[in-house]
Amino acid sequence: MRRLPRSRSQTAALAGVALLYAAVGAALYLGWGQRAERRRLVRLAAEQDEVLHYDFAELRLRVADPAAQEAFAADPPRVRVARDGVPVTTVAGLRELTMRRMAPGVWGARWPVPWNAPPGEYRPELLGHEPLADRLRVAPFRVGRRRAQASAERLVVATLERNEPLEQMKVRRPDGTLTDWRGLLDWTQSLGADAFWMAGASSPGEAPGETWLAPNKEMIHEVAKECRRRGLKFGVYVLYSLTLDGANRVPGYEYALEIEGGRPVPTRAVSIRDRRRLDDAVAFLAPYARDPNVDFVGLDYIRNALGGVELVDDFVAEMPGVVLPDGWKGFTRDERMLWLARKKAMRKDAAFVDAWQWWRARRVALIVKEVKARLRDKPLWAFTLTWDKGWHHGQDPVMMNDAGVDLDALMFYEADKAQYAQMVKDWRAYLRHGDANLVPGNIFDWNLHQKDPAGPREFGRRLDAALDGVYADRPARAVFYHDLGRLLWGRLGPWGTKGWAEEARRVSRKVKMEEHHP
């Protein structure tokens, strides 16, 4: 049978089908090739695009190639982090990290961000495994720094530590006349201060099982309103970790432990890992965070106040580079806590001490971060102890800034002259303006100035030293005086309230002088 000749349309259709099959085949081949290429790639990156100073950069190495997986199983991958091509030594002297297998084709390591690491781009690097170099794809990450939302420009603060009923308080004004609690604000203004910060609550309460001792809980709103009327800024704070009565513990809290007689015993400080304490602190401060007359909320004893050995398992599990003793897995919990206590007390292992201090500061920063977020970003201040930049107490001003502390009130007191000079020197070597908003402070107390013959002049000299020397690049622009109760009724020596107040006024004038701020 003779075939009929194809029409032009039929020929075109057949050609189109052929082209379609060719295109599909090419796409499949290309797709297969791309998938094969992707399977060959080894990717190294941090889980986060940006980390802050309290963070671990969670480094991940990902590979689908079975041969590469076998190579890593036989020789676990090691990584380091570089900045501008220079390897970075981080906390506890760590320069390299050995990654561990986390899932099929995934290895991970934690890189703690170094103390006050310069902001900028950092790049992880894979060590060894040279045959994989042409297949390795590395993504950099950034170390950032949070910008504080409150200003420390020419700010002078007077505090009130006493947590007693204001309604019953009688105060003698600067002019000698007697008045009620409003006299505290008269003194705040007389000292040249711009803000009044008062304690709102501490633990435990008066009744058994009561969480807070807060006699002014309702009046605080009235104080805030009076401050607003006078043009003063107002803040209220709570004591976070340390409680004031170790014999009357709040039920349900986990208390920090220390070692006595070879056994762990509870302290009067709430553990920094206690979730309920965080919830209670937020719940207490929340009404003031919503009050438009309240300018700041604050935290005192926001640190590992006492003890801390109860944190041993968390510390060992989270912090890289901690060297554990032989037989660790067989230790009882009490034995693990005793080991931590001895390592802390001996202070012979510098890397261990550095790791412990960084990790505690991180845990405190995470508390601050959550408090800040849950209080609707109300400007937040915290009191920081100043020995060894706060590190000795589990605080770091840079971590605190990144976590949400807008004003870091530095408690430059309870030290002799030599200790004071060393503290200021340490801070100056560590920080520049912009790293954190620092508010150096001193206390109205002659005894805590070692009864120096200069009395209030020594009080002022120390504040001058802190203001001029706390930053490496320029003077501080804020100060606080602690506290008005001590100024009015405290241990002031022969100079009395008048002499100490006059020295504070001089310091206030210095803070606000233009020539003090180049």
Side-chain angles (χ1 to χ4, degrees):
M1 181 176 178
R2 187 171 62 89
R3 289 186 179 180
L4 296 173
R6 293 185 181 134
S7 67
R8 288 185 180 180
S9 61
Q10 288 175 320
T11 302
L14 288 172
V17 170
L19 288 172
L20 176 62
Y21 274 107
V24 170
L28 289 173
Y29 179 81
L30 181 61
W32 177 86
Q34 290 175 337
R35 288 195 297 273
E37 178 63 22
R38 284 198 297 270
R39 285 177 63 82
R40 292 185 71 252
L41 291 181
V42 178
R43 301 183 185 277
L44 177 60
E47 294 283 81
Q48 317 99 306
D49 293 330
E50 182 179 75
V51 292
L52 298 176
H53 289 87
Y54 54 81
D55 279 325
F56 291 111
E58 298 286 353
L59 305 179
R60 295 292 182 268
L61 185 69
R62 289 181 166 86
V63 58
D65 180 15
Q69 292 189 39
E70 288 181 12
F72 291 142
D75 180 13
R78 293 173 296 113
V79 291
R80 67 186 181 193
V81 174
R83 183 170 186 265
D84 297 330
V86 179
V88 176
T89 299
T90 187
V91 179
L94 289 176
R95 195 179 181 88
E96 298 179 5
L97 296 167
T98 299
M99 308 186 91
R100 63 183 180 87
R101 186 175 181 273
M102 304 184 71
V106 181
W107 280 259
R110 282 178 164 167
W111 186 75
V113 176
W115 299 105
N116 199 14
E121 186 175 279
Y122 290 71
R123 187 178 183 85
E125 297 178 343
L126 178 65
L127 303 176
H129 296 280
E130 284 78 9
L132 300 175
D134 64 331
R135 297 196 258 159
L136 182 64
R137 301 293 182 268
V138 178
F141 63 92
R142 286 189 56 79
V143 171
R145 193 187 303 279
R146 171 186 167 271
R147 183 184 296 275
Q149 70 181 100
S151 173
E153 299 294 307
R154 298 181 178 84
L155 176 68
V156 178
V157 181
T159 74
L160 180 69
E161 183 180 55
R162 297 188 174 207
N163 190 17
E164 57 189 46
L166 291 178
E167 289 180 333
Q168 302 171 14
M169 190 175 288
K170 299 297 181 184
V171 179
R172 198 164 294 280
R173 295 188 183 98
D175 65 6
T177 59
L178 197 64
T179 186
D180 59 12
W181 60 268
R182 293 172 182 82
L184 297 169
L185 304 185
D186 294 334
W187 277 105
T188 298
Q189 294 175 300
S190 173
L191 297 178
D194 312 285
F196 175 64
W197 292 348
M198 65 174 288
S202 58
S203 291
E206 288 185 322
E210 192 174 31
T211 300
W212 296 113
L213 177 66
N216 300 306
K217 187 174 182 179
E218 301 304 325
M219 274 202 68
I220 289 170
H221 295 288
E222 184 177 343
V223 178
K225 186 182 298 184
E226 177 65 13
C227 283
R228 181 56 53 91
R229 188 187 69 79
R230 295 180 182 222
L232 292 170
K233 294 183 181 297
F234 175 77
V236 57
Y237 68 95
V238 297
L239 274 65
Y240 190 88
S241 177
L242 193 68
T243 71
L244 303 184
D245 184 357
N248 181 17
R249 294 191 174 88
V250 180
Y253 280 162
E254 178 185 7
Y255 280 78
L257 302 177
E258 62 186 1
I259 300 296
E260 288 185 5
R263 297 178 61 84
V265 297
T267 67
R268 61 188 178 98
V270 180
S271 175
I272 59 171
R273 72 176 187 173
D274 189 279
R275 288 288 312 177
R276 180 183 154 190
R277 185 59 169 183
L278 193 156
D279 293 340
D280 287 345
V282 168
F284 182 85
L285 290 172
Y288 310 115
R290 294 191 295 267
D291 187 337
N293 293 317
V294 175
D295 300 284
F296 312 97
V297 289
L299 299 166
D300 194 9
Y301 288 103
I302 182 63
R303 61 181 189 269
N304 176 208
L306 295 172
V309 296
E310 80 286 353
L311 303 170
V312 61
D313 292 336
D314 296 342
F315 170 58
V316 168
E318 295 176 10
M319 193 70 195
V322 178
V323 179
L324 301 175
D326 293 338
W328 177 258
K329 291 183 178 179
F331 282 19
T332 65
R333 178 163 168 76
D334 282 7
E335 288 170 338
R336 297 194 297 272
M337 289 191 283
L338 181 59
W339 169 82
L340 175 58
R342 287 173 175 166
K343 291 284 285 187
K344 290 195 305 169
M346 289 187 295
R347 298 187 71 82
K348 292 181 179 180
D349 186 340
F352 175 89
V353 171
D354 199 36
W356 172 244
Q357 293 186 160
W358 186 94
W359 181 83
R360 286 187 302 157
R362 162 183 159 81
R363 290 296 291 260
V364 167
L366 293 177
I367 294 170
V368 168
K369 179 182 178 181
E370 186 166 346
V371 169
K372 177 77 170 181
R374 291 171 61 181
L375 292 179
R376 302 185 181 185
D377 288 328
K378 190 72 149 184
L380 177 70
W381 92 89
F383 290 103
T384 293
L385 282 173
T386 46
W387 303 94
D388 194 17
K389 294 98 60 189
W391 297 359
H392 186 72
H393 307 278
Q395 294 176 301
D396 174 64
V398 178
M399 290 191 195
M400 298 284 256
N401 173 81
D402 283 357
V405 167
D406 299 296
L407 299 170
D408 203 340
L410 307 183
M411 299 187 289
F412 276 111
Y413 35 87
E414 299 192 34
D416 62 27
K417 286 183 178 179
Q419 292 167 333
Y420 193 96
Q422 184 60 51
M423 288 193 296
V424 173
K425 183 179 179 181
D426 289 344
W427 281 85
R428 184 179 183 85
Y430 185 51
L431 291 179
R432 298 176 66 84
H433 187 268
D435 293 345
N437 267 350
L438 303 183
V439 186
N442 200 356
I443 192 166
F444 292 121
D445 193 304
W446 191 34
N447 289 32
L448 295 182
H449 288 78
Q450 299 76 51
K451 294 191 173 180
D452 191 283
R457 287 196 302 278
E458 176 62 13
F459 162 87
R461 185 198 68 79
R462 295 187 186 192
L463 278 176
D464 287 341
L467 285 165
D468 294 337
V470 72
Y471 286 123
D473 51 343
R474 74 180 196 188
R477 299 183 172 185
V479 69
F480 78 91
Y481 308 126
H482 191 69
D483 78 297
L484 290 177
R486 295 173 190 254
L487 176 64
L488 298 175
W489 307 295
R491 302 176 299 188
L492 303 176
W495 302 272
T497 298
K498 182 178 179 181
W500 291 78
E502 187 53 45
E503 186 63 17
R505 293 185 189 106
R506 182 195 66 76
V507 174
S508 297
R509 291 193 293 271
K510 174 178 178 173
V511 168
K512 296 180 181 184
M513 285 169 56
E514 290 293 336
E515 55 265 33
H516 181 61
H517 309 300

